[in-house]
């Protein structure tokens, strides 16, 4: 049996009040959430405030091959559409929180934020 991985969308608010949206993949949601929380608190730019944590807005189990493929496809779609400002580690920065985001797999998933 092939293990599933998750394609996810999550966010945090940085110390400057920017809304930081992240799209990514993982095979362990709890571990990845802890990784993001720890790493983004140490980041030099778009730093997560002490006491905050990374929050998942949506996730979907897919095959390992498909999670990577759809992550790359959606990051490209976001960048081409000018959806936020792309920053390192597959994140998008917004001065104000967007109301929703569309993730395209075989169909379009509208995720309310």
């Amino acid at each position: 049996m092939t293990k599933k991985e998750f394609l996810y969308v999550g966010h945090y608010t940085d110390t400057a009040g920017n809304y930081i949206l992240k799209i990514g993949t993982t095979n362990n949601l709890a571990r990845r959430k802890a990784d993001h929380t720890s790493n983004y608190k140490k980041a030099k730019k778009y730093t997560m405030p002490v006491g905050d944590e990374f929050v998942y807005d949506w996730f979907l189990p897919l095959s390992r091959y498909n999670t990577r493929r759809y992550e790359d496809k959606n990051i490209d779609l976001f960048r081409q559409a000018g959806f936020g400002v792309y920053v390192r580690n597959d994140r998008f920065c917004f001065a104000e929180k967007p109301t929703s985001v569309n993730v395209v797999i075989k169909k379009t998933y509208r995720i309310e934020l």
Side-chain angles (χ1 to χ4, degrees):
M1 181 175 165
T2 305
K3 283 191 161 189
K4 293 288 185 179
E5 289 201 4
F6 296 93
L7 177 67
Y8 66 84
V9 174
H11 76 275
Y12 68 95
T13 303
D14 73 4
T15 54
N18 295 308
Y19 186 86
I20 310 297
L21 185 78
K22 164 94 173 133
I23 184 167
T25 62
T26 186
N27 63 354
N28 184 323
L29 289 165
R31 177 192 49 78
R32 196 69 183 130
K33 179 180 180 175
D35 290 348
H36 287 323
T37 299
S38 175
N39 292 338
Y40 295 147
K41 285 183 181 182
K42 299 174 193 170
K44 291 182 180 175
K45 288 186 174 182
Y46 310 104
T47 308
M48 181 186 293
V50 174
D52 282 2
E53 66 179 10
F54 185 81
V55 176
Y56 290 114
D57 297 301
W58 174 87
F59 54 85
L60 184 70
L62 300 165
S63 72
R64 180 181 181 130
Y65 170 77
N66 282 334
T67 57
R68 306 279 189 234
R69 185 166 61 110
Y70 289 125
E71 176 188 20
D72 292 343
K73 179 181 175 182
N74 280 282
I75 288 169
D76 288 344
L77 288 172
F78 290 1
R79 290 178 85 170
Q80 290 172 8
F83 183 67
V85 175
Y86 181 79
V87 295
R88 212 180 84 178
N89 298 329
D90 303 328
R91 294 174 292 166
F92 293 84
C93 178
F94 300 86
E96 293 185 20
K97 178 181 174 180
T99 57
S100 64
V101 61
N102 291 331
V103 174
V104 179
I105 299 179
K106 289 181 182 177
K107 67 177 192 172
T108 300
Y109 293 85
R110 183 180 175 95
I111 300 134
E112 300 298 323
L113 301 173

